Amino acid sequence: MQDFLNAPYEGSSAQADKTEITARLQGWCADLQTRLPGLVEVALLRLAPEGSALITAVPEDAVMGRIGYREAVARMCAAQAAVLLPLDRTEDGIAEVIAMPVKSAQAASGAPAEMAVLVGVAEMPASRVQLIMAQLEVSLGWLMFHLGCQAMAETRQLAQIHEQAFLICAEMLDTEKPTEARQILASLLAKYLNADRVVLVRRGLFGLRIQSISGESKFDRKSQLNDLTRQVAHEAQLRRAPIRWRRSALEKAFLMGRLGAMHGDAAIDAVPLTDALGNITEVVVLHWSDEAHLPDIDAWSVVWTLARPILAEKDRAARGFVIRNLLALKNALKRLFGPRAFKLKLITAALVATVIVMAFVQVDNTLRADVVIDD
């Protein structure tokens, strides 16, 4: 298990598995078209509440925008059962459409199907169409098997990512100083995500500054690289969301493009770290020199969620008496003059008003009398 955790997550393996399963699905569609005469077009669709998306089709230039196809998929989703829909007129040799849902064995009863098989059938007798539908239902067993294998592989990879993410958090918790925790975060992220450089940028009293770096940079470009890194972190902090740059992408981000060109990167990701109150004071900037080893950043959400609270606890534990009280005063003033804490504002206003009245308001119409005190 320890060797499994220490092994870096290979982001390219997931992409390779997806490419392989897509090729297998396309081969299944082609084999289905060959074995069953009369099938003009065979397609696999991924179903979602916002609409269906094409996974693969045979032939590759199949027209998926037919009105009959959309109507058949809509009826199938409504009935959650196979649908046979005759077309009003023959289009490209297609007289009828078969839409059949694909449900995995793990799906709950009554749950909507996530995939569908869409088949365009040529004109043929009704008995032969029924036979084709029966053969399609039998062939779906092979399809469900490979989809189950794909889901198992994705689950295994996600479990590996979560194990490594919790290992990073555990290593951060074992440190005594906040600087060590931030350096461990940068170093382990570079190790597990196959990144060439990981930089942790933190907002201090005098603006953003680089707190920890996983690797070394060239001395003659160190100042320029750090300036661009801080600017990229500031942009991610303002957007309050991860930002990405790829050298092969058509859209070009100006700051991240300059940083990537200067450092020789193929991809850059900037991920802000948010605390429980939604404040963003730290940003992680990751660099890769090869796009083939890019991981799924969203799958590492455990690290992005837990890293900032862990670092905040380390910072609080390392504060001295003066800093601790100054920050407590700062938080109290922030609550007092902020948009919330109405009761605190009301009590403070009442106390201030009472002090002002007692100090500056003189009450007239007072009675004065001489008093003699006898022993």
Side-chain angles (χ1 to χ4, degrees):
M1 174 61 72
Q2 190 67 23
D3 296 338
F4 174 76
L5 294 180
N6 291 332
Y9 167 69
E10 295 290 345
S12 59
S13 61
Q15 188 66 27
D17 291 342
K18 291 181 181 179
T19 304
E20 182 181 359
I21 195 66
T22 302
R24 289 183 179 181
L25 294 178
Q26 189 172 8
W28 178 80
C29 293
D31 186 67
L32 196 65
Q33 186 188 32
T34 303
R35 291 177 178 271
L36 299 179
L39 271 61
V40 182
E41 292 178 348
V42 181
L44 285 174
L45 305 178
R46 188 176 303 277
L47 303 177
E50 59 273 9
S52 59
L54 178 65
I55 299 176
T56 184
V58 174
E60 296 182 2
D61 57 349
V63 181
M64 293 290 105
R66 305 181 193 275
I67 299 178
Y69 284 176
R70 292 197 295 266
E71 185 177 354
V73 172
R75 291 186 181 183
M76 180 206 68
C77 293
Q80 288 298 315
V83 171
L84 175 63
L85 178 66
L87 299 182
D88 296 335
R89 58 184 179 84
T90 303
E91 299 179 6
D92 298 332
I94 300 174
E96 296 176 305
V97 179
I98 300 174
M100 188 172 295
V102 180
K103 292 185 179 181
S104 61
Q106 295 81 9
S109 59
E114 297 181 355
M115 293 182 60
V117 178
L118 192 62
V119 179
V121 184
E123 188 175 356
M124 60 181 64
S127 58
R128 189 173 175 183
V129 174
Q130 291 179 357
L131 180 60
I132 288 178
M133 293 184 67
Q135 291 175 336
L136 281 174
E137 292 180 354
V138 174
S139 300
L140 289 182
W142 183 94
L143 180 62
M144 294 173 61
F145 168 76
H146 282 280
L147 291 177
C149 291
Q150 181 190 12
M152 186 180 299
E154 293 177 353
T155 304
R156 188 181 298 111
Q157 291 172 355
L158 187 60
Q160 179 185 0
I161 292 174
H162 288 173
E163 291 283 355
Q164 294 176 348
F166 283 117
L167 179 61
I168 293 175
C169 296
E171 292 289 342
M172 292 171 61
L173 290 171
D174 287 340
T175 58
E176 296 181 357
K177 298 180 180 180
T179 305
E180 297 177 359
R182 289 182 170 86
Q183 189 61 46
I184 284 179
L185 175 63
S187 301
L188 292 182
L189 283 177
K191 175 182 178 181
Y192 292 139
L193 275 71
N194 294 318
D196 296 279
R197 186 171 184 254
V198 177
V199 183
L200 182 63
V201 182
R202 183 187 181 192
R203 184 182 65 186
L205 296 177
F206 303 100
L208 293 173
R209 67 187 187 93
I210 292 179
Q211 189 72 21
S212 59
I213 304 176
S214 64
E216 298 179 355
S217 57
K218 296 181 180 179
F219 181 76
D220 56 344
R221 296 184 177 181
K222 183 176 181 180
S223 178
Q224 298 178 2
L225 285 173
N226 292 346
D227 290 341
L228 288 174
T229 303
R230 284 192 291 267
Q231 295 178 32
V232 169
H234 182 62
E235 183 179 355
Q237 184 182 8
L238 292 178
R239 294 189 183 185
R240 305 184 63 85
I243 56 177
R244 296 176 173 86
W245 171 82
R246 302 292 182 266
R247 185 193 301 167
S248 59
L250 296 178
E251 61 276 6
K252 300 295 182 182
F254 179 68
L255 288 175
M256 303 185 80
R258 286 182 56 193
L259 180 60
M262 183 171 295
H263 195 256
D265 298 319
I268 299 176
D269 282 10
V271 184
L273 304 181
T274 309
D275 61 7
L277 299 178
N279 301 320
I280 298 176
T281 57
E282 292 181 286
V283 179
V284 177
V285 183
L286 305 102
H287 302 249
W288 290 275
S289 59
D290 188 3
E291 292 190 36
H293 299 285
L294 289 180
D296 184 7
I297 292 297
D298 297 333
W300 291 83
S301 59
V302 174
V303 176
W304 317 135
T305 303
L306 298 180
R308 179 59 197 142
I310 293 174
L311 295 176
E313 289 296 329
K314 294 296 179 181
D315 291 335
R316 279 193 286 268
R319 290 169 187 164
F321 176 79
V322 177
I323 299 298
R324 187 163 54 247
N325 286 277
L326 287 177
L327 290 176
L329 179 61
K330 177 183 176 182
N331 292 332
L333 293 176
K334 185 183 296 184
R335 289 192 63 197
L336 181 60
F337 296 100
R340 298 181 179 87
F342 176 75
K343 292 183 179 180
L344 178 62
K345 293 181 178 62
L346 185 61
I347 295 173
T348 305
L351 291 176
V352 171
T354 303
V355 171
I356 292 175
V357 169
M358 294 177 64
F360 298 102
V361 177
Q362 295 183 357
V363 181
D364 298 332
N365 301 324
T366 57
L367 298 176
R368 296 182 178 274
D370 296 333
V371 178
V372 178
I373 302 175
D374 295 332
D375 189 5

